C-alpha cells in the first residue's frame, strides 16, 4: 500500500501484512508526518497523540510519542516536553530506537 500526500508525493510504502492496530497506527503516523512537514504542528501532534493513546502496543507508538513531543515543541517552543518524553520512552519502550534517539534530550534537562 502506498500512502500519498495531497500533492501525490509518496510518504510511506507498506508491504506485507500488518495486524489492524499496526496498520492503523502506521497510517496515523503518516498523516501526522504530512501535517508536520507542512508545518501544521498542532495537527501533527493530534495525529501522533492518537497513535500513542489508541495504538500504544503497536510498532508505531514509540515513534509517534517522539514526534508528538517534537510537534509540541515546534508549536510552543517549550523544550521541557522533550526531556519528559525521553523519560517516558525509556520507561515504556526502553529497547526502541526512539528511546535511544531521545537520549540527548535527557542531557539538556
Amino acid at each position: 500500500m502506498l500512502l500519498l500526500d495531497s500533492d501525490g508525493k509518496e510518504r510511506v510504502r507498506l508491504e506485507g501484512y500488518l495486524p489492524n492496530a499496526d496498520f492503523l497506527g502506521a497510517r496515523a503516523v503518516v498523516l501526522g508526518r504530512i501535517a508536520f512537514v507542512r508545518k501544521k504542528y498542532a495537527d501533527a501532534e493530534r495525529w501522533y497523540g492518537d497513535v500513542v493513546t489508541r495504538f500504544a502496543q503497536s510498532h508505531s507508538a514509540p515513534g509517534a510519542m517522539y514526534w508528538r513531543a517534537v510537534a509540541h515543541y515546534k508549536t510552543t517552543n517549550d523544550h521541557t516536553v522533550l526531556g519528559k518524553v525521553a523519560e517516558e520512552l525509556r520507561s515504556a519502550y526502553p529497547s526502541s530506537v526512539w528511546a535511544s534517539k531521545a537520549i540527548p534530550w535527557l542531557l539538556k534537562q
Side-chain angles (χ1 to χ4, degrees):
M1 170 181 265
L2 296 177
L3 295 172
L4 312 173
D5 66 16
S6 60
D7 296 326
K9 183 175 181 180
E10 181 180 327
R11 289 297 173 179
V12 76
R13 181 181 299 248
L14 300 174
E15 297 178 7
Y17 171 79
L18 288 175
N20 235 9
D22 284 315
F23 175 80
L24 294 173
R27 183 188 67 159
V29 164
V30 171
L31 294 170
R33 185 67 187 155
I34 291 169
F36 190 91
V37 299
R38 293 187 173 194
K39 299 183 182 187
K40 295 181 178 183
Y41 301 120
D43 291 343
E45 186 176 355
R46 184 176 38 82
W47 280 112
Y48 294 133
D50 190 46
V51 175
V52 172
T53 57
R54 292 182 57 212
F55 308 110
Q57 300 306 311
S58 75
H59 295 289
S60 298
M65 185 180 284
Y66 178 97
W67 284 106
R68 178 182 63 177
V70 174
H72 182 80
Y73 169 72
K74 296 290 267 182
T75 300
T76 65
N77 216 25
D78 175 14
H79 68 83
T80 61
V81 70
L82 302 175
K84 290 175 189 171
V85 82
E87 290 289 348
E88 290 174 18
L89 283 163
R90 281 180 44 171
S91 174
Y93 307 102
S95 61
S96 77
V97 68
W98 298 102
S100 296
K101 288 182 179 198
I103 287 172
W105 297 343
L106 293 171
L107 305 174
K108 293 188 179 205
Q109 288 187 24

